[in-house]
Amino acid sequence: MKRTLIKEILLSGQPGTEVNIKGWVRTKRGSKSVNFIAMNDGTCLGNLQVVADVASFEEETLRDTTTGAALSVTGKLVASQGSGQSVELQAENIEVLGKADPEKYPIQPKKHTLEFLRENAHLRMRTNTFSAVFRIRHAMIFAVHKFFSEKNFYNIHTPIITSSDAEGAGEMFRVTTLPFNDTPRTEEGDVDFTQDFFCKSTNLTVSGQLEGELAAMALGQIYTFGPTFRAENSNTSRHLAEFWMIEPEVAFADLNDNMDLAEEFLRYLIQYALDNCKEDVEFLAKRQEEEEKNKPKEERNMNLIEKLKLVADNDFVRLTYTEAIEILRNSKPNKKGKFKYPIEGFGTDLQSEHERYLVEKKFQKPVILTDYPANIKAFYMRVNEDGKTVAAMDILFPQIGEIVGGSQREERLDVLEAKMDEMKIPKDEMSWYLDTRRFGGAPHSGFGLGFERLITFVTGMGNIRDVIPFPRAPKTCEF
RNA sequence: UCCCUAGUAGCUCAGUUGGUUAGAGCGGCGGACUGUUAAUCCGUAGGUCGUAGGUUCAAGUCCUACCUGGGGAGCCA
């Protein structure tokens, strides 16, 4: 008999229908004559209640239907006598596909801490919280492609192994097949990479942007959506060593076009989650509300759904770095000496506390900061007419900080080359990149969106390691 | 990497100014119960107190180092 998804049964199952379901036991309750088995198959948050009359089954079968066991159940849908559900499955046949030793199975029918579940990441998707998170994650992946495809952007797969070490976005993981002991050396004693697999030094990519620019200068509008690797020793709830990044790149677009695109994109994604993941978002909102009760009042966050609507329904605030510095300089916490890093004026990089003040206190919605000082930003960002700022933009979100970083790219060959010299970036190794400026160069812009940071925001999860199935971080590479 | 903080049963925690045999709830197991909703009730088994040193007559408790988790910072997406 063909398997029916529990999602479909809960949505439109009719009493009297004969069905087969396959899934995992969440809990089992029972008395002498009847057992109630809550079954979940991952297709939705809800469980289907299976009713098993004790007399009609082998003792062993019911003994083995413990929390976590995989079952195939055939029977008839009936109107439920209980109040928790409208239909339930009156079991006629139960097959235990896979047992789960109750003394060893770690996921108990009770509340677990996220830390404990993180250590059991291979099983945590069997909980309501994580199944909801990963269903939302899927929906967001789909929405990313839908948004860009409808706007005539092409998805480009940029390389994961790269020989470019000038992406300038942080420490890289080396890729090599050379032996660790007895490493081939040059006469000068350096590692001889000409004997390595690619005949040169290679790493895992930290960004697909530079290759994305090449594609944009041919296909016009492109986006990448791929894995990215940073070997930074970052131990925070906002960083991963392996994460997924979306990087659109648009020819003939300036910084304003870039901001418009980024804002429309983010609001689209959040609205998509509200429209298409209602049940899961509502569950996570309720869950978060429970957590907030344990916090002191001043640290409590806004309700998840209200927060998402706020972002989806309102324009982002846009202001320049210079304006932001002025606001911060005149802010109460600065005057009262509450900032750990006092605002000294133009040229200082903004710290988390400053970003939080702007987003969470001053404006209470997302903020786009533009036109940063050139010396604190990357070489490829376009120099403004003032000569000291660049056409960069960062989008700051409440609670998670920087979610998007982007810029108009420097398309003027001479300016770009001078900048690379200044920042000691090897031009000869980057001639493929400079070719886009040599041959048919044009103004263009793009940005990077950290996918997991978006998911953190949409799900309300506090730790980025809880929105990627198998997190990689310093000292953490399980499974 | 830096600062703060925690580590006691499978899980979540309590354990007083250092003092006899380390406790609870949940989960597990056994039993009771004609329909439960993380069922309820009765009973029961689980511990090298993160690791290694040290102080002391005596350490779960105090000190040092290390390991691991959490919060914050830096770096960034």
Side-chain angles (χ1 to χ4, degrees):
Chain A
M1 189 176 188
K2 196 167 177 271
R3 172 190 174 208
T4 306
L5 301 181
I6 288 176
K7 180 187 184 176
E8 287 163 5
I9 293 173
L10 294 182
L11 204 67
S12 59
Q14 293 303 316
T17 324
E18 189 91 6
V19 295
N20 168 261
I21 61 153
K22 293 183 172 69
W24 294 268
V25 177
R26 280 293 173 80
T27 63
K28 185 177 73 168
R29 298 172 288 273
S31 63
K32 202 177 203 172
S33 62
V34 65
N35 276 356
F36 301 97
I37 306 162
M39 292 288 294
N40 188 286
D41 67 359
T43 54
C44 64
L45 199 58
N47 300 328
L48 178 66
Q49 173 155 287
V50 169
V51 184
D53 291 322
V54 172
S56 334
F57 294 94
E58 297 282 326
E59 199 186 324
E60 194 186 350
T61 303
L62 291 180
R63 200 179 57 227
D64 289 342
T65 59
T66 56
T67 303
L71 305 184
S72 173
V73 183
T74 308
K76 200 171 269 180
L77 291 179
V78 295
S80 180
Q81 295 173 39
S83 59
Q85 57 281 315
S86 56
V87 288
E88 62 194 16
L89 180 57
Q90 185 68 47
E92 281 151 23
N93 187 275
I94 296 178
E95 188 187 350
V96 179
L97 300 173
K99 292 193 269 189
D101 184 345
E103 288 193 39
K104 290 180 185 148
Y105 185 60
I107 311 297
Q108 304 166 357
K110 60 172 278 190
K111 196 181 164 101
H112 290 294
T113 59
L114 295 175
E115 290 81 11
F116 172 74
L117 291 170
R118 212 171 288 150
E119 284 170 19
N120 291 281
H122 56 307
L123 296 169
R124 67 180 174 171
M125 284 183 242
R126 300 209 189 164
T127 65
N128 286 338
T129 299
F130 284 95
S131 64
V133 165
F134 293 122
R135 276 189 297 267
I136 292 173
R137 185 180 164 108
H138 160 79
M140 291 291 91
I141 293 167
F142 183 76
V144 165
H145 289 297
K146 186 165 149 57
F147 174 85
F148 283 121
S149 190
E150 284 171 359
K151 281 189 165 306
N152 296 304
F153 279 61
Y154 299 110
N155 181 220
I156 293 289
H157 288 161
T158 50
I160 291 164
I161 299 172
T162 176
S163 62
S164 162
D165 57 1
E167 287 168 349
E171 290 295 311
M172 302 177 95
F173 288 100
R174 182 173 292 288
V175 174
T176 183
T177 56
L178 290 177
F180 289 114
N181 30 5
D182 206 19
T183 313
R185 301 273 172 180
T186 62
E187 281 174 16
E188 290 79 35
D190 299 328
V191 174
D192 184 5
F193 285 109
T194 63
Q195 295 191 43
D196 204 349
F197 186 89
F198 295 107
C199 294
K200 55 164 73 167
S201 163
T202 50
N203 295 293
L204 293 179
T205 183
V206 294
S207 162
Q209 182 203 313
L210 301 186
E211 291 90 348
E213 283 186 53
L214 311 183
M217 298 310 287
L219 298 168
Q221 310 188 108
I222 66 93
Y223 68 105
T224 72
F225 188 172
T228 320
F229 308 87
R230 306 262 168 105
E232 301 287 350
N233 191 12
S234 297
N235 293 290
T236 79
S237 55
R238 300 181 305 283
H239 290 88
L240 291 165
E242 176 182 300
F243 64 100
W244 290 69
M245 191 153 61
I246 298 144
E247 297 179 284
E249 195 71 36
V250 185
F252 317 115
D254 66 13
L255 190 67
N256 274 315
D257 300 324
N258 202 24
M259 284 191 278
D260 290 345
L261 179 69
E263 181 172 341
E264 188 189 349
F265 180 46
L266 286 168
R267 288 168 65 178
Y268 175 92
L269 292 175
I270 288 162
Q271 190 62 51
Y272 189 92
L274 285 168
D275 293 343
N276 295 277
C277 309
K278 202 162 183 287
E279 188 187 46
D280 289 324
V281 172
E282 276 170 2
F283 172 80
L284 292 170
K286 201 175 285 173
R287 186 192 165 279
Q288 195 194 43
E289 223 156 70
E290 295 292 316
E291 300 265 298
E292 299 291 315
K293 282 181 190 161
N294 302 323
K295 290 187 189 170
K297 257 193 181 141
E298 60 275 12
E299 283 177 30
R300 287 186 195 167
N301 293 312
M302 194 188 294
N303 172 278
L304 177 63
I305 292 172
E306 284 173 35
K307 187 183 79 175
L308 296 179
K309 282 186 178 158
L310 186 82
V311 173
D313 296 343
N314 290 286
D315 290 344
F316 296 0
V317 176
R318 298 185 185 190
L319 71 164
T320 66
Y321 165 89
T322 310
E323 288 164 345
I325 288 284
E326 275 313 297
I327 290 169
L328 288 165
R329 199 211 302 274
N330 296 319
S331 68
K332 256 190 206 161
N334 194 50
K335 285 181 174 167
K336 286 187 176 169
K338 290 271 174 66
F339 283 146
K340 196 173 157 202
Y341 298 88
I343 294 294
E344 285 167 12
F346 186 89
T348 55
D349 210 348
L350 297 182
Q351 308 294 320
S352 298
E353 55 178 351
H354 306 134
E355 297 179 352
R356 291 187 85 105
Y357 172 79
L358 290 171
V359 173
E360 289 165 24
K361 292 267 156 37
K362 174 83 182 169
F363 296 109
Q364 299 190 346
K365 54 179 169 171
V367 172
I368 312 183
L369 282 184
T370 64
D371 303 291
Y372 282 81
N375 61 332
I376 59 172
K377 287 289 180 182
F379 78 94
Y380 49 73
M381 297 190 178
R382 192 179 196 278
V383 180
N384 287 327
E385 281 177 20
D386 61 15
K388 59 177 189 175
T389 60
V390 288
M393 62 114 179
D394 284 359
I395 301 185
L396 310 178
F397 260 38
Q399 289 150 50
I400 55 176
E402 188 181 338
I403 192 168
V404 160
S407 68
Q408 186 171 341
R409 318 306 189 190
E410 183 58 76
E411 83 280 11
R412 296 163 295 186
L413 183 62
D414 52 337
V415 181
L416 184 57
E417 284 186 323
K419 194 73 170 287
M420 290 172 80
D421 287 339
E422 196 183 303
M423 293 190 167
K424 299 204 166 64
I425 291 161
K427 282 185 300 194
D428 46 338
E429 287 173 27
M430 299 283 287
S431 68
W432 52 271
Y433 182 69
L434 292 168
D435 270 0
T436 55
R437 277 68 172 169
R438 289 192 189 102
F439 309 121
H444 60 289
S445 299
F447 63 85
L449 168 69
F451 186 61
E452 282 76 16
R453 287 196 180 166
L454 173 82
I455 305 301
T456 301
F457 186 76
V458 173
T459 59
M461 300 296 284
N463 193 316
I464 201 164
R465 298 178 193 194
D466 293 334
V467 300
I468 187 166
F470 305 102
R472 272 81 182 90
K475 294 174 192 164
T476 303
C477 190
E478 299 300 317
F479 319 109

